[in-house]
Amino acid sequence: MAILKNEYPILEFDTEQNAVIMPGHHSDYHFPQKAVMLFMEPEIQDFVAEHECEIVGTFINVTKEFHVYKTKINDIDIAFVQAPLGGAGAVQIMEQLIAGGVKEIIAAGCCGALVEDTEGSFYIPTTALRQEGTSYHYLPPSREIELDSQPVKAICRVLERAGSNYKTCKTWTTDGFYRETKEMVQYRKAEGYSVVEMECASMAACAKMRGISFGQVLFTADSLADIESHDIRNWGNDFFAAAMRIAMEAVTDL
């Protein structure tokens, strides 16, 4: 094992997988093999109330508690949990799920559109640009990360069965929400990125290092397609519940 040193700390990487603090060190949770991470809240509470889901774990941090629930989809046990905004927070939850026995994860959440499209359009990332920090703690430096093909195919199958239109895409993962400048947006669009979000590259890197399957279903909320006018639309609020169900079905299809 070795540290790959660099003048710039963000590009330094330690090949050692064990750390001083390891996920799962404070609990003996045993989760189903399949899990869904959801970047939403009211929709989770509505689902829990409707289906009387069991709490099978709780992750506590300094700002809130994240309950892990269990339900059955297509007669298969799955865990599901709210995911916090941003790659660093989301990966902490992902690490705890993996430590509890999860092997397959599908995430669902909204994104910003970089191309002209309607609100609520589904996009399935196949490649993520690593313009954030968390992924560099899990994999050596690279410009992009490729997502696993099997979760991508599972999400696509579910959308096709539902008769929903979708596109596979390259996504721009950033941790600088207020640094999406006009020039940077133009640059990313020219490179072929269709959407922008804040977690995909981070989660994909963690999954690769830990040896689990990961995929993500995104739907468009706001739009940056016209760089002269940020269109917030309705922030995708009408599509969160549908994305949750797609993710739940997709993880059972793996």
Side-chain angles (χ1 to χ4, degrees), residues 48 53 61 74-75 80 82 94 110 121 168 178 201 245 249:
V48 168
C53 300
N61 68 21
N74 300 329
D75 293 322
F80 64 99
Q82 183 187 16
M94 174 182 258
C110 64
S121 297
T168 56
Y178 293 115
R245 293 295 308 196
E249 290 206 20

Side-chain angles (χ1 to χ4, degrees), residues 17 29 34 62 66 74 76 89 102 142 146 152 158 173 200-201:
Q17 292 201 9
Y29 292 143
K34 298 174 180 289
V62 295
F66 294 85
N74 300 329
I76 297 173
V102 172
S142 65
E146 299 291 325
V152 170
V158 170
T173 305
C200 187

